[in-house]
Amino acid sequence: MEANNEGYIDPFLTEPDLTVLHNLLHDVKLAPIVEGQQQNSPQGLLRDPSQYDDKSTVDKLVTFKDDPVVFCSWDYKDLPLSKGLLGVFIRSYIAWAQTVVRYPVDVVFVTHLLLYFTTSVPSALFLYYRFSWTHGVLHLLMQGYYLGSFTLMLHNCIHQNGLMSSRYALFDRIWPYVLEPLMGHTWDSYYYHHVKHHHVESNGPDDLSSTIRYQRDELSHFLMYVGRFLALIWLELPLYFFRKRKTILGIKSALSEYCSYAFIYAMARYNFRASLFVLILPFCFMRIGLMVGNFGQHALVDDVDPKSDFRSSITLIDVPSNRYCFNDGWHTSHHLNPLRHWRNHQSAFMKAKKDYQNGQALIFRNIDYLMMTYRLLRKDYLYLADCMIPIGEDQIKLTRQERADLLRSKTRRFTEEEIQENFYGKKAG
């Protein structure tokens, strides 16, 4: 849900997100108002300002850290744990699931795996057994609903080298190979591209998904960005590893991608109509979605210090990214430490808040990455200015129009001369 209203706080934000949001709005509220500036906090929010200062915020975040996440849609405190048989069932489920996952707070991953293996897998198998167009469309809609959460669960898996406890290590190795093709991923390619490539290059010149060579509020450049990935990533990623003298990674990335294509082709030969809905269309949607999302994550790049993680990525405090996609909105925090557990981003932000302020980091609310891309392509900078939460004195003193102008300046395409100077220290001439 979006709201172009500076005073709006989404009631479905997670408790840690709400806690940090209140703290940031508290900072804005305390700042003096300059001419032409709008208050970026809701009326009546700060009846007791002391509960929103940095120390109180850090203390409150500590109270959430051991609460397991069981379902994306409900916080732990809202679960009916004391309500008769239902409460007994939920408590028993949590106790069992905590023996399955590596970290006791990650019960939600067991929930999602159970969901996928009891819906996606049997539905896909039945489509191959007895195909119908109605079932195919319904299956595709179901998978479309799952894709975001699954991808970010997989994201946590590839960064943490698995999700399960050692007792379930074999299943932890197997489940990605079963579910990835059904969710539009090719085997292991997300790992090779994201962990071994993107986080190494970090949106720099050698990053195949880098945004810096594109005018990031122009539709034609966005289409070139997505089109290049769709058409060439199968070739460019292995060549990147070979060029960097990482031959084994190049061979593995090529084999994983090409074996996936061979599997999709073989299944399409066996039953094209079922494969269209089970494998081919999810693959197309996922590839496009990954690029639309990455574009939104790295569209706003500072032209003074584009190598800074604070200035080449953004943070979102919103429901789709953080409640349903495991804190994916905390992208700057993730780039600062790719191994950080997804539940620790808010606490890590508060501990490094001064660094975010000094680094001129960008934080937004009431918008997700897909809508960020959409609003940029519409050049709707005033809307984005309303979503921006200014941090630090320099940002807080900006008027709405000045915030919009600031964001516009961060979408400019880098010339090759600027890339050489900013990333390699080589000045033209």
Side-chain angles (χ1 to χ4, degrees), residues 130-234:
R130 183 178 298 168
F131 176 83
S132 75
W133 291 102
T134 301
H135 183 186
V137 171
L138 291 175
H139 176 86
L140 187 63
L141 291 174
M142 176 180 68
Q143 295 303 96
Y145 179 74
Y146 289 163
L147 292 186
S149 295
F150 173 82
T151 297
L152 272 301
M153 181 179 74
L154 182 63
H155 178 256
N156 281 278
C157 177
I158 61 178
H159 276 291
Q160 299 290 335
N161 194 27
L163 302 176
M164 305 292 134
S165 63
S166 58
R167 182 180 179 184
Y168 296 90
L170 179 60
F171 177 72
D172 210 15
R173 295 282 295 175
I174 292 173
W175 71 259
Y177 292 99
V178 176
L179 294 179
E180 280 177 330
L182 303 183
M183 301 292 182
H185 288 273
T186 47
W187 289 316
D188 289 337
S189 295
Y190 189 36
Y191 167 75
Y192 291 120
H193 183 275
H194 183 76
V195 175
K196 294 298 185 180
H197 170 64
H198 175 64
H199 275 283
V200 172
E201 300 298 341
S202 196
N203 203 51
D206 289 341
D207 190 339
L208 297 174
S209 54
S210 174
T211 59
I212 60 175
R213 289 186 171 93
Y214 300 89
Q215 180 60 38
R216 296 175 296 281
D217 60 0
E218 285 290 341
L219 179 60
S220 59
H221 281 240
F222 169 73
L223 293 176
M224 287 189 290
Y225 174 81
V226 174
R228 174 184 171 177
F229 181 84
L230 295 178
L232 296 175
I233 194 60
W234 62 274

